[in-house]
Amino acid sequence: MDNQEFHDDHEDGQDGPLGAAQRAAAASRSTWTSVVVNILLTSVQFVVGFFSHSQALIADAIHSLSDLISDFVVLLASHHSKKAADTDHPYGHQRFENAASLVLGLILLAVGSGMLWSAFRKLETPELVPQVHSIALWVAGLALISKELLFRYMLAVAQKVKSSMLVANAWHARSDAASSLVVGLGIIGNMAGYPILDPIAALIVGFMVARMGWEFGWEALHDLMDRAADEEEVAAIRLTLLETPGVINAHDVHTRKMGDMIVVDAHIEVDANITVEAGHDIAVLARQRVMQRHRVLNLMTHIDPWKRPDRDHQPPA
């Protein structure tokens, strides 16, 4: 999804991407803020929804509860993803974030499906839908404002640290804000003499949650299957390689996602007449520049002699 992609600024790469510790600290702060907000909202929505007879508000409370569950999934993934590389995970543990995004998607899909089923059951007996008390409307308005503010805060943090997992969690909060708006409209319709609008609002909320769960889960699944970085980012990495002193050309620049970092394999062409040591030094410099300027976890280079036949892609004899 577009809102989950980030692009490196080729000019401002002096400082390099944020370190793992900084990203983890920012993720922890924003997520714990979300935890507090969701605990308060879930409690108030459940209680008021039950006593005001609003199925839509109860559905919104379930959505807030799923936010709370996803927050703890994010905290768990953030804790594990910052672990250093080891023998079993030589590239580190960043893919805990991709796995967490997949879990978030599955949670949303399951919650949305349950909400759809409950709303359909209510719509089968519309004559039994009760009148909703006006206090439910006030709570829906409070939830809308709280979730929108939470979304803006969490998205700003996610974009700063370039974390697709945090972006997923932020948009989960935005989906809850949108659902609170739908709930408010359904409650207004119920109070205006159209009781069936309350379960219809719950139905719409369930569909929104299930759709977002499918999208997040599908995107995370692709990342876990070694999906490449976007074309703009690959082009920026290739440009950094070409600007490295001693590199005449670069080809076969392949990337794969590792959490929100990237692993790169590239062939760089150098003067065929230099020594092996000189070629090695150019490769080391190219790796350092790429890792400083981009969110690249590791760059594996293959040295090719410039203007010599490239036999790398020939089938074995």
Side-chain angles (χ1 to χ4, degrees):
M1 296 187 333
D2 292 340
N3 55 32
Q4 286 183 269
E5 297 297 335
F6 306 98
H7 307 292
D8 288 317
D9 188 341
H10 186 67
E11 299 298 329
D12 67 356
Q14 303 298 324
D15 297 329
L18 288 178
Q22 292 174 289
R23 296 175 77 247
S28 180
R29 283 195 303 271
S30 67
T31 306
W32 277 112
T33 300
S34 179
V35 166
V36 173
V37 171
N38 285 316
I39 287 176
L40 294 175
L41 282 179
T42 301
S43 302
V44 173
Q45 287 173 314
F46 262 125
V47 172
V48 175
F50 178 79
F51 286 104
S52 64
H53 308 294
S54 174
Q55 185 193 3
L57 192 59
I58 293 176
D60 209 22
I62 295 173
H63 195 180
S64 297
L65 180 61
S66 71
D67 276 344
L68 186 59
I69 295 172
S70 71
D71 288 336
F72 284 109
V73 172
V74 168
L75 288 170
L76 179 65
S78 179
H79 171 72
H80 284 285
S81 65
K82 67 183 180 182
K83 290 182 178 179
D86 55 32
T87 304
D88 292 330
H89 304 86
Y91 290 103
H93 298 74
Q94 284 81 3
R95 277 196 173 160
F96 264 99
E97 293 197 9
N98 300 121
S101 293
L102 178 59
V103 172
L104 289 181
L106 294 175
I107 289 173
L108 287 170
L109 187 59
V111 169
S113 300
M115 293 163 70
L116 286 171
W117 173 257
S118 178
F120 273 124
R121 294 295 301 272
K122 285 284 186 180
L123 291 174
E124 288 178 348
T125 55
E127 67 280 359
L128 300 180
V129 177
Q131 181 79 19
V132 176
H133 194 278
S134 60
I135 191 174
L137 182 59
W138 288 100
V139 173
L142 174 64
L144 171 61
I145 295 172
S146 301
K147 285 293 184 178
E148 181 63 22
L149 293 176
L150 182 62
F151 160 74
R152 293 178 183 274
Y153 165 69
M154 293 178 70
L155 186 64
V157 173
Q159 290 175 337
K160 179 180 178 181
V161 302
K162 296 185 177 181
S163 170
S164 61
M165 178 182 65
L166 292 183
V167 168
N169 211 26
W171 280 94
H172 191 179
R174 164 57 72 87
S175 74
D176 217 356
S179 72
S180 295
L181 176 61
V182 173
V183 167
L185 294 175
I187 293 172
I188 291 174
N190 180 286
M191 294 170 60
Y194 302 93
I196 199 173
L197 291 182
D198 185 67
I200 288 177
L203 185 70
I204 295 173
V205 171
F207 173 77
M208 292 168 58
V209 174
R211 179 176 178 271
M212 184 161 289
W214 170 262
E215 290 178 351
F216 283 147
W218 187 249
E219 290 295 314
L221 184 61
H222 276 290
D223 286 343
L224 287 170
M225 296 171 65
D226 283 344
R227 178 167 55 178
D230 63 90
E231 294 180 3
E232 181 181 345
E233 198 157 27
V234 175
I237 292 171
R238 185 174 184 275
L239 181 58
T240 299
L241 288 172
L242 293 174
E243 291 178 346
T244 302
V247 175
I248 302 174
N249 193 20
H251 62 275
D252 288 351
V253 180
H254 298 154
T255 63
R256 62 185 185 273
K257 303 288 284 295
M258 185 72 65
D260 285 301
M261 302 293 284
I262 304 169
V263 176
V264 184
D265 300 316
H267 288 220
I268 58 176
E269 298 177 33
V270 301
D271 187 346
N273 297 313
I274 63 176
T275 64
V276 172
E277 183 180 9
H280 171 74
D281 291 341
I282 293 172
V284 170
L285 178 60
R287 180 175 183 271
Q288 291 173 343
R289 286 166 57 87
V290 167
M291 292 179 66
Q292 287 172 354
R293 295 191 174 198
H294 308 277
R295 51 195 179 96
V296 170
L297 184 65
N298 188 48
L299 168 66
M300 178 64 71
T301 55
H302 175 88
I303 302 295
D304 285 332
W306 185 52
K307 287 192 175 180
R308 294 291 193 275
D310 186 355
R311 298 186 178 89
D312 294 325
H313 303 293
Q314 291 181 355

